[in-house]
Structure formats: C-alpha cells, structure tokens
Amino acid sequence: MAKVSLTVNGKNVEKDVEDRTLLVQFLREDVNLTGAHIGCDTSQCGACVVHVDGKAVKSCTMLAAQASGCEVTTIEGLSGGGDLHPVQAAFREHHGLQCGFCTPGMIMAATDIIKRHGTKLDEATVRAELEGNICRCTGYHNIVKAILDAASKMDGAAKVAAE
Amino acid sequence: MGIEGIGARVARKEDKRFITGKGRYTDDMVVAGMKHSVFVRSPHAHAKIKKVDTEAAEKMPGVIGILNGQQLADDGIGNIICGWMIHSKDGSPMNMGAWRPLAQDTVRYVGDAVLIVVADTKAQARDAAEACIVEYEELDIVTQPDKALADGAPQIHPEAKNNLIFDWGLGDEEATDKALASAAHITEMDIVNNRLVPNAMEPRAALGIYDDAEDHYTCYTTSQNPHVARLVMSAFYNVAPENKLRVIAPDVGGGFGSKIYIYPEEIVCLWASKRTGVPVKWTADRTESFLTDAHGRDHITKVKMGFDANNNIVGLKVDTIANLGAYMSLFSSATPTYLYATLLSGQYNIPAIYGNVRAVYTNTAPVDAYRGAGRPEATYLLERTMETAARELGVDPAELRRQNFIREFPHQTPVIMNYDAGDFEVSLDAAMKQIDYAGFAKRKKEAESRGKLRGIGMSCYIEACGIAPSQAVGSLGAGVGLWESAEVRVNAVGTIEVLTGSHSHGQGHETTFAQLVCERFGVPMDSVSIVHGDTDKVQMGMGTYGSRSGAVGMSAIMKALDKVEMKAKKIAAHLLEADEADIEIENGELKVAGTDKSVPWFQMALGAYTAHNLPDGMEPGLKEGAFYDPANFTFPAGCYICEVEVDPDTGTTKIIDFVAADDFGNIINPMIVEGQVHGGVAQGIGQALMEGTYYDPDSGQLLTASYMDYQMPRAEDLPNFQLSTSVTECPHNPLGIKGCGEAGAIGSPPAVINAITNAIDNNDLTMPATPQAVWTALHNKGGSRDDKNQFDRHITKAAK
Ligand code: FES
Ligand code: FES
C-alpha cells in the first residue's frame, strides 16, 4: 500500500491505496470525481486527461503514488467554482460534444493547448495537438471550432485584463 | 419559429453536466455493497472446454464468487437469441446455433465468456480471473466467410451445416438475368466491405442489483434501448419477469448500434447478483470491447450492373456473403437482408434487381448493425459500381448518375421500398457547386505541379430510416414492433415533462424534443424536461437506432402534444367562457382569437389540477400519452463529393475537401443535425481510409484489438466539412422529417474511394485505403493483389 497525499481541485486529499492504483482510478474511485473517464487501456484516447501541476496529463499513464505531492485539477475543478471556464462555454456554444464521454478529456487538453500556444493557435495546430484525444461522435469539426473560438476569446480577455 | 422553437439552433440543455464532468455513465454508478467483476474469456477461437478449476482462485483475497455456465443453466437462464426470423429461398427457417451467456462445452471465438469472477475490487477480480484454470481442446477454426462455406470447413454450430445460416434472396432473379443478358454493357465488380469495430468511446458496462426482499432486479447498463433490453431479458433469457426488472440506461457514451443488443454481461451480472447476494458491476476494458462488442459490415459481394446502349441501367444482380461471426446477435439477420438488399435501387431507376445473401458463421466476434447497418454496404457497392461504369463508358460520373435518377415520387423499387419523396438532382447540383466540380481539372493540374495526385469522387446515397412500420417489419420477420411512445405531463404549475421511449446517447434529445414543446405552447425551454432511459419512469418504448428518434420518436411526442393541446384549449375555453375553436396558444398564453381575453398557460394547468372549475364531465389533470407507428420508412438522401490528394511516394491520402449535400426533410435543430453529419462522415472516412479489423486466419486471434493496432480517425486525419441541406418533406409524419443519424457513415466511404481511385488511376483498391494499400495499387497497376485478408498493420500515431 502507498500513502498518497495531494491536492485535488484545491482540496487536500490523503489516502492509502494499493501501489498499482492509477491516478485515474484514484480520482474516480477514491475521490469520487468521475469526470475523468477511462476509454482505453493503452493511453491513447485522452478521455482521462487532467492537469497535474498545471500540465495536461493522461491520468491513466500515471500511478496515484506518483502524483503524491502534486496539485491536480480535474474537469470538476476547472472553472474554480465560478461560471464556466471559457473553453467549457465554447464547447457548449459550438456543439463540440455529443455523447460527452470524451469531453472532459478534450476540454482539459484544450485548455493546455491554448495555454501553450496562445495567440499563435490555428486550425492545423489544434488538429495536430489533438492527436492524443479520440472522439467518435463529433468528427472533431466543432471541437476544433470551439477551441479556436475559446482561444481568441481568452486572448481578448487577457488583453483587456492587461490594459 | 421562436428562438427556441422548431428550426432554431438552440444550444443543448444537456451540455452543462457533460462539460463540467457531472455526466452520469454506468461506470460512474456506485451503490451500497457494490462489488466488481471480471469475465474469464476464451483465449481460443474454437475449442472444447475440458475442465474448469477455480479452487485456488476462489481462495484469493477479496473473492466473493466464481460462477460458471452450468450454474447459469441450472438457474434456467436462456440462450441469447436473434430477434428477426429470416427464411432461406427454399422456405426453411434460418439455422440459429445456441449462444450461452457463459459457454458450457464449446467456445467459438476469442473473447467468448466462460466464467464470471466477483470480488471486492476490480483488481482482485482480475487477479483471481488470471488464477482460474480452464483446460481447452483446440478445434479447427475459420475466420473468413467465403472459406467458412467451403466443404470441409470447420463446423461451428451443429444447427448450421457448412456454417450457412441462411441463403436468402430478394427481387426477381429471372427478370434480372434477362435484363442483364440484353444489356449493351455490363460492369462487374468484386466488392469487400471491411469489418469495423464500432468503438463508442464509453466501453460497455453493466451493474446488476438484486433485492431479495422484493425479489426484484435493477440493471444499469450502456443501452440504446432499455425497454427492449428488459423485454428480451425477461421474455427470452428468463432473468426475471418484466415487473420485477428495472433497466436504467443513464448517460451513455455513444452507441452507433453496438449498444442496441443484449449481451451476455448484463444478463450474467444480474444473475450473479442474486447468486452472490451483492450488487455486481462490470465495465469492459478497451480490448474487451474490441473482442466482444458486435462488429459491423464484413461483406464480400459480386456485382453485375447492366446498361442499355443509352447508358440507362437495365438490371442489377448482387451476390453477397455476410459474415455474422460466431453467434447471431439480436438483429444480425436483418442487417444484411432487409436493411441491405432493400436499398439496392439507390437513387436510380433500375427495372430489375436481384440480391442474394448467404449469411455464415465464423470464429469471430458477432456482427450486427453498426451506424447505417446494411445501407452503407448497399450504397458502397452501388456507388463504386456507378463510378466504375462511368469510367468504363467514358462518361462523366455525375451525368451517368443524373441520367438514371428517379424523378417521380412515390416510386416503387423492385426491392420492397416505396420512396415517398426526394429530389436527387438538387443535392447533386448543390454538392457539385459547393466543391466547384467544374474547376477540378485546374486543381488537379496545380496539385501535379507539387508532385501530388489529386482525385475527385462522389456518392449519391439513399437510406431507409425512421425504422419502422410495425406491421411491415412483422411480415418480414421482426420479433418486435418498431413504433415509439411518448407521454406529456403538464404539471400543476405549468412546467412540462416529456417521457419518451427514445434514448439519447449523444443525439441531443433533451434539447430537440423540448423544442417541439416550446414551439407548440410558447413556454420557455427551462420549463420543459425530457425523461428517458429508465423503465420504471418511462412507459414501454423501443429506443434509438436506425435514425428513428426524430421521425418516429418525435412523431409520438407530437401526437401526445396534440392531445394535451386539445384538452388545454377546452379548459381555457371554459375559463374564458369562449368557444374552444377560438382558442389560440401563443407565448405561454391561451387566448381567445381577436380579443384581449387570455389565460396564462400555468393558470390553465393549475386549473386542470385544482379541478374547481372544469367543463362538465372532464377528468382532472393534464397528462396525455401516445404511441406512434410510422406508415412507411423515411428516405433521407443526398450527394457527397470528396477531393483528395495522394502522395505518390508514400501512398498517403489527404482529404482536401469534403462536401455533403443532404435532404433530411424538415430540421428541428440545424446545429445538432450538422453535428450528426460531421460524426457520420468521420466514421465513413475512417472506414474508407484506416479502420481495418483483422483476425489472424490461422489462430483466430483479433490482431487489431487496441488503439495501437486499430486506427481511429483523429482530428488531423479529417478536414472541416462543408455541409448544406435541401428539403423535400416526408409526407407521412407530422413533422415532415426524415432523420439524419446515419447518412454521413452511409454516403461517405464510396466518395472517398472513388476519389482515391480517380487520383491514382487504378480502380483496384479495397477499404481501408491505407498508405500501404494505396501505394501498392499505385505501383502495381494491373497487377493482382489479395490484400483483403492480409493483416495490414499500419503504424498508428503513438499517444502523446
Ligand atoms: S483512458 Fe487514458 S488515454 Fe485512454
Ligand atoms: S462526444 Fe462522444 S466521444 Fe466525443
């Protein structure tokens, strides 16, 4: 058994778990945050993406024990308790989701993509960056649109804030 | 149309929970005392079970029980069945072999369930499953449908001699032979429609809960049709009587057909819950999904299409072998017959058609309806053949199609279907215009200057959906009726609940169905809730598949709304002392036309429930139900054109442009309809370019059983899609709608392959057109290849 102590969505969590427990299992079963989904066994679908210390990580590729001491943000904590995060809002506005299963992972990956590329984000970059996230419902068309729109809105908001 | 009514691009009501991580899928469910299960599955494609030894496994930590097929049989649990009877040409009923939820003597494909292990945690169940010892005696196997029919092939079920399930025909063979004999030109093709794995992103799951105090069962499951699941588990599998069985399909993460069927796992979880005394949950891992979800397509077909001297089609003859896998899944017999051969006329006037279909068993996963179900197979062979014929005849493929279009409706085809409305030329012209068909030669030249081979290809599809008139399908062998139900409950405060037998697993019913109510009564979207997916809450319904929830499900809602409207008007007329015929409903008010007298919707509703002042003899309350049985199928149709560039050095295909011009009849929410087309086209492009399901022919192992080996379309593989719609109304349902769920997956594969074969100037190409396949076709023109069974392991993009 491993003692795991970490911050999840701003709250301290401490638990004893089996050594082999994956971060995604820990979040879903021990912390009861079921927003991160498990869509594959080979770390390819991206349904499980969360942020670990501010970076997008597939939570099925990481042991819970490895996340000890880290700050984890899941889809449930993305908006920080406020209104929807701009990426969440854009997914809704542009119909970037259908069944919703890939959506938490898509949104967590998208916020990271926008953070890394900022204003330089274009369609080709978004499509290339989504390589690790599979959606079977949307054909990605509206997901790409949502991410580009969120990026431009967030950029605009950042500029306003800076002024 | 109001801002939330019919035709409005209303953002989805259901999205909030999904974008905030609050969706509730089956694997998210936790109930008191719940335990976890893992299935022990056959590692062999065909074998006798000699011995099962679970003694050591049972003593492992956390293990609650390990149960087998004999115990299941002892408790009277029945065989899994196919619910659609097909008769062979000689009149004999189809040869259905037994499918036990847990195999007892024989396993017939890799993944066949043998034991269930229940333990405190999933990891413990998995450890114990690995410690279960099952001894097998391996038998000969066959994975390829044509080889399964050969003399001396391994016999998979004693009931089906030579593995033949049925040998079925549709149409007039004699007339077709005669027509072909008189033809000036015949185009012949061998067509392979590749096997696909549906790959809904949410793996299948089940949670069985037995309550011994009430002798009652609850099943949470990933189902597209919870009521059908309850009916089948009750009537055929003997799990529990319907009144003692509640089936809940909560949020479901995509279905595409694969979640229509009732699989062994939900039956076994329910039964195991009673046997072990604890709630039992099972969730498939991805490889388990690859192995055991019902697959799609897998046809081998010979086509002959005859033309007269003026290039009019005179006849079409089709001979298909359909691989149904190791067992007959719920609708597996209908998919390659009545959902396939009935569409062989496509958009064309074809005076004589004959389709012959032989369905066979092989040692592979069961095959059943997958997005489009039979119609993609029909469309693919027709549209590949039309394109090929145009090349052979030296005419423009668009013009050959145009010349042969059906132009008068209703049109009776030689293969049962009666097309009631359409205008195929409108979509052809729209697609040609949008892609700038006339400018292609210039673009091809420009591409050449960059060393790329540019190609263009089209496909004109028609599908039969809005499944289906009950009496008609009954006469064709269906075991169920395919109507839909609705109940509209107006609460005392005027808010409205619509209970529907349709099930949403991505289609956005909570929004589009509510739009119907907003349009009708002018009430705000927030005051309308759609309830679905729970047999305890919702009256019997038939679920969602075959693009039926719009055409059939919404029609049932319209019927129920009619009844509510009628009663509401009566109440309002009484309250306003006016004539019922003068009452109009607008903006949440019931008004007397031409006066300023009105009563708000909520007040009328309250009046219905206080019942202090109702018309004489009227029952209190405001709640109405309806069942709607469609008069005919609906016939969405359209034209898709694809433009590609092939890199001659690598064989890589890039989709440059994809245009979809569809006629879905009237549209309730264009945003949602576009989303359906995007997703469908993406799946069709996946089939055309990359998705291949390969069984090793010697061992029967599924070689493409993970995302490492089965290539799913990713964002970078796809373009932005250009969509347009035109409207011919469906004449027989109240909304004039046809449905849009499957069109994309039906229409797109032939457009892609026609474009690639145009680019490389070699028609000898089968799906999936991987870089290797395209490169080979490009450099082996005229050479012979046999790549249809070859394991074509392409390197998928590694995860980041
Ligand atoms: S579950 Fe983590 S990538 Fe699929
Ligand atoms: S919305 Fe269903 S998988 Fe993406």
Side-chain angles (χ1 to χ4, degrees):
Chain A
M1 296 293 270
K3 187 169 210 59
V4 178
S5 161
L6 70 172
T7 317
V8 180
N9 298 335
K11 284 197 203 110
N12 291 328
V13 180
E14 243 187 71
K15 301 236 172 199
D16 290 314
V17 297
E18 264 199 89
D19 294 350
R20 57 180 163 177
T21 308
L22 299 172
L23 177 59
V24 67
Q25 293 168 327
F26 177 77
L27 292 170
R28 290 178 55 79
E29 287 162 28
D30 296 282
V31 198
N32 295 325
L33 292 171
T34 56
H37 296 144
I38 302 173
C40 72
D41 335 317
T42 50
S43 290
Q44 295 194 299
C45 74
C48 62
V49 173
V50 299
H51 295 170
V52 178
D53 291 337
K55 279 197 182 132
V57 165
K58 288 180 171 171
S59 58
C60 72
T61 56
M62 193 171 183
L63 295 169
Q66 288 175 294
S68 203
C70 294
E71 272 186 40
V72 173
T73 306
T74 69
I75 186 74
E76 289 93 339
L78 180 65
S79 68
D83 283 348
L84 294 178
H85 183 279
V87 177
Q88 291 172 315
F91 267 65
R92 177 160 198 262
E93 188 185 336
H94 295 284
H95 190 33
L97 63 149
Q98 289 181 27
C99 78
F101 196 78
C102 72
T103 310
M106 283 285 178
I107 290 176
M108 296 310 279
T111 51
D112 186 70
I113 293 170
I114 294 171
K115 195 166 119 193
R116 282 185 288 108
H117 292 273
T119 47
K120 291 193 292 290
L121 207 54
D122 59 8
E123 188 199 324
T125 312
V126 172
R127 287 186 181 273
E129 285 275 354
L130 284 179
E131 172 180 65
N133 290 75
I134 304 178
C135 174
R136 193 55 151 172
C137 298
T138 64
Y140 306 97
H141 184 111
N142 287 340
I143 291 177
V144 173
K145 216 160 126 186
I147 295 174
L148 288 171
D149 186 45
S152 74
K153 282 187 180 144
M154 285 165 76
D155 183 45
K159 279 189 187 134
V160 170
E163 273 162 19
Chain B
M1 146 190 127
I3 48 165
E4 295 181 330
I6 291 175
R9 305 178 76 88
V10 183
R12 298 201 317 175
K13 281 162 74 79
E14 49 268 75
D15 282 354
K16 176 88 186 271
R17 65 179 187 271
F18 296 126
I19 56 183
T20 54
K22 306 281 170 52
R24 297 285 285 156
Y25 300 88
T26 299
D27 188 53
D28 300 339
M29 300 297 161
V30 175
V31 298
M34 183 180 86
K35 304 297 178 189
H36 300 267
S37 71
V38 163
F39 283 81
V40 174
R41 299 183 182 278
S42 168
H44 301 295
H46 197 193
K48 287 240 165 291
I49 300 174
K50 297 311 272 184
K51 200 172 138 209
V52 176
D53 178 359
T54 57
E55 217 185 301
E58 273 160 37
K59 299 202 185 93
M60 292 184 59
V63 173
I64 290 160
I66 301 178
L67 306 176
N68 62 44
Q70 186 57 51
Q71 292 166 312
L72 189 96
D74 292 345
D75 289 348
I77 304 293
N79 289 340
I80 297 174
I81 51 118
C82 172
W84 195 303
M85 172 54 74
I86 295 292
H87 287 89
S88 284
K89 290 182 285 192
D90 65 7
S92 61
M94 64 192 187
N95 306 310
M96 178 162 57
W99 185 2
R100 297 296 303 155
L102 291 175
Q104 275 168 268
D105 317 309
T106 309
V107 289
R108 297 184 172 85
Y109 75 104
V110 174
D112 216 346
V114 180
L115 303 168
I116 181 173
V117 179
V118 182
D120 286 335
T121 70
K122 188 158 183 179
Q124 288 169 333
R126 200 182 293 269
D127 290 343
E130 272 168 27
C132 291
I133 299 165
V134 185
E135 275 176 31
Y136 297 95
E137 178 191 322
E138 285 187 63
L139 302 171
D140 289 341
I141 67 134
V142 62
T143 60
Q144 293 149 243
D146 46 344
K147 301 212 166 116
L149 284 173
D151 278 341
Q155 180 75 29
I156 297 171
H157 287 277
E159 296 85 351
K161 205 168 158 274
N162 283 351
N163 303 312
L164 181 68
I165 300 169
F166 54 75
D167 181 357
W168 172 91
L170 184 67
D172 187 336
E173 186 170 19
E174 214 183 293
T176 307
D177 284 340
K178 231 163 126 187
L180 289 174
S182 75
H185 176 86
I186 292 184
T187 294
E188 286 188 61
M189 293 197 78
D190 288 319
I191 301 260
V192 176
N193 206 292
N194 45 328
R195 180 185 276 242
L196 300 173
V197 182
N199 270 307
M201 290 315 295
E202 178 206 23
R204 286 191 297 116
L207 167 57
I209 306 161
Y210 177 68
D211 171 357
D212 65 345
E214 302 288 341
D215 192 26
H216 181 277
Y217 296 80
T218 303
C219 180
Y220 287 90
T221 181
T222 48
S223 173
Q224 298 177 217
N225 36 219
H227 288 89
V228 175
R230 182 175 73 156
L231 169 70
V232 171
M233 286 201 276
S234 171
F236 299 102
Y237 306 159
N238 209 17
V239 175
E242 274 186 286
N243 62 323
K244 294 285 186 185
L245 175 58
R246 175 184 186 185
V247 179
I248 303 169
D251 286 330
V252 173
F256 315 114
S258 68
K259 292 173 180 167
I260 297 172
Y261 323 114
I262 292 80
Y263 289 88
E265 291 85 2
E266 43 269 32
I267 304 166
V268 173
C269 281
L270 281 166
W271 165 75
S273 175
K274 181 171 183 180
R275 271 267 183 172
T276 58
V278 294
V280 176
K281 185 199 265 183
W282 166 79
T283 303
D285 59 30
R286 182 52 61 184
T287 288
E288 218 173 358
S289 304
F290 270 103
L291 291 174
T292 66
D293 287 3
H295 294 177
R297 321 283 192 252
D298 209 343
H299 284 195
I300 300 176
T301 299
K302 283 196 175 305
V303 191
K304 272 189 198 175
M305 187 184 269
F307 294 83
D308 68 14
N310 299 318
N311 298 343
N312 297 314
I313 309 173
V314 294
L316 173 72
K317 193 166 183 181
V318 166
D319 185 8
T320 294
I321 303 175
N323 187 353
L324 297 196
Y327 299 103
M328 290 188 78
S329 171
L330 192 64
F331 290 124
S332 59
S333 57
T335 304
T337 52
Y338 290 111
L339 293 176
Y340 164 67
T342 50
L343 269 302
L344 284 174
S345 197
Q347 298 191 351
Y348 311 112
N349 261 308
I350 308 182
I353 300 177
Y354 182 70
N356 190 92
V357 180
R358 284 169 292 165
V360 300
Y361 280 123
T362 60
N363 297 113
T364 61
V367 175
D368 207 325
Y370 162 60
R371 201 168 194 171
R375 291 152 289 171
E377 294 90 319
T379 303
Y380 184 70
L381 77 84
L382 267 176
E383 291 306 293
R384 284 288 290 129
T385 307
M386 282 304 272
E387 194 86 12
T388 303
R391 291 175 194 169
E392 289 173 357
L393 294 166
V395 296
D396 187 302
E399 296 318 307
L400 184 66
R401 287 176 167 92
R402 188 190 301 277
Q403 157 177 3
N404 283 283
F405 277 159
I406 293 162
R407 285 158 199 282
E408 272 164 37
F409 298 90
H411 173 89
Q412 178 63 51
T413 72
V415 278
I416 298 179
M417 288 301 171
N418 190 287
Y419 301 165
D420 49 19
D423 191 336
F424 306 141
E425 211 159 0
V426 168
S427 23
L428 174 68
D429 287 338
M432 286 171 73
K433 188 160 171 232
Q434 192 155 19
I435 204 147
D436 182 20
Y437 191 77
F440 172 72
K442 217 165 127 197
R443 296 192 293 277
K444 188 174 175 71
K445 221 158 164 204
E446 186 279 327
E448 248 167 49
S449 70
R450 288 181 282 112
K452 296 286 187 320
L453 304 173
R454 196 155 173 132
I456 193 165
M458 65 169 58
S459 150
C460 294
Y461 77 92
I462 186 164
E463 57 162 328
C465 57
I467 289 174
S470 299
Q471 214 187 341
V473 294
S475 72
L476 301 178
V480 290
L482 290 168
W483 44 265
E484 195 47 87
S485 72
E487 186 174 302
V488 175
R489 290 186 193 159
V490 181
N491 298 317
V493 291
T495 57
I496 298 171
E497 281 140 21
V498 177
L499 290 78
T500 169
S502 300
H503 183 276
S504 185
H505 29 280
Q507 294 88 342
H509 295 170
E510 289 169 47
T511 306
T512 41
F513 291 7
Q515 284 178 257
L516 300 184
V517 181
C518 296
E519 172 88 14
R520 182 70 73 104
F521 301 135
V523 294
M525 200 76 173
D526 283 346
S527 68
V528 184
S529 298
I530 307 300
V531 181
H532 67 101
D534 182 341
T535 59
D536 260 17
K537 290 185 183 160
V538 179
Q539 69 291 339
M540 175 71 176
M542 295 310 293
T544 290
Y545 39 85
S547 308
R548 68 191 305 275
S549 299
V552 189
M554 285 206 264
S555 296
I557 295 172
M558 291 295 280
K559 264 184 88 174
L561 288 174
D562 288 345
K563 296 184 191 174
V564 168
E565 181 181 332
M566 215 149 64
K567 186 165 178 184
K569 282 182 171 170
K570 280 203 174 93
I571 297 170
H574 181 75
L575 293 174
L576 297 167
E577 296 175 343
D579 196 78
E580 200 187 312
D582 293 335
I583 304 291
E584 286 172 352
I585 306 182
E586 218 181 302
N587 295 329
E589 282 188 331
L590 298 103
K591 297 180 184 160
V592 183
T595 73
D596 57 359
K597 287 208 293 186
S598 71
V599 53
W601 175 261
F602 78 87
Q603 209 168 325
M604 176 281 305
L606 192 62
Y609 285 92
T610 59
H612 295 161
N613 184 18
L614 289 176
D616 269 354
M618 179 183 274
E619 282 179 18
L622 190 49
K623 178 191 92 164
E624 299 287 350
F627 285 75
Y628 174 81
D629 201 357
N632 191 358
F633 290 83
T634 62
F635 299 97
C639 175
Y640 292 178
I641 306 183
C642 176
E643 218 166 294
V644 299
E645 277 183 14
V646 172
D647 181 336
D649 295 333
T650 62
T652 310
T653 300
K654 188 168 168 51
I655 310 250
I656 304 292
D657 239 328
F658 197 100
V659 165
D662 293 292
D663 175 0
F664 297 133
N666 291 326
I667 288 172
I668 309 302
N669 185 328
M671 178 191 82
I672 286 177
V673 167
E674 287 160 14
Q676 289 292 311
V677 177
H678 295 156
V681 169
Q683 287 183 10
I685 292 176
Q687 165 165 34
L689 289 186
M690 57 195 83
E691 294 183 41
T693 309
Y694 297 98
Y695 280 93
D696 178 60
D698 299 322
S699 67
Q701 296 296 326
L702 180 60
L703 300 172
T704 47
S706 79
Y707 292 142
M708 306 284 281
D709 300 305
Y710 186 96
Q711 192 183 350
M712 293 280 280
R714 311 221 175 200
E716 223 185 352
D717 301 317
L718 300 169
N720 272 320
F721 307 110
Q722 301 188 55
L723 312 186
S724 67
T725 53
S726 56
V727 179
T728 60
E729 288 188 6
C730 168
H732 64 76
N733 64 43
L735 288 158
I737 61 179
K738 299 182 180 178
C740 64
E742 297 159 294
I746 293 172
S748 54
V752 175
I753 298 300
N754 287 339
I756 300 174
T757 52
N758 173 258
I760 63 175
D761 193 24
N762 181 1
N763 208 30
D764 185 17
L765 182 70
T766 52
M767 297 190 290
T770 60
Q772 184 195 5
V774 173
W775 191 91
T776 310
L778 183 61
H779 295 278
N780 281 2
K781 276 183 202 166
S784 80
R785 294 171 309 114
D786 178 23
D787 66 352
K788 71 175 183 255
N789 299 312
Q790 156 199 342
F791 172 48
D792 167 339
R793 179 191 285 268
H794 25 267
I795 302 151
T796 52
K797 292 170 186 166
K800 292 183 61 190

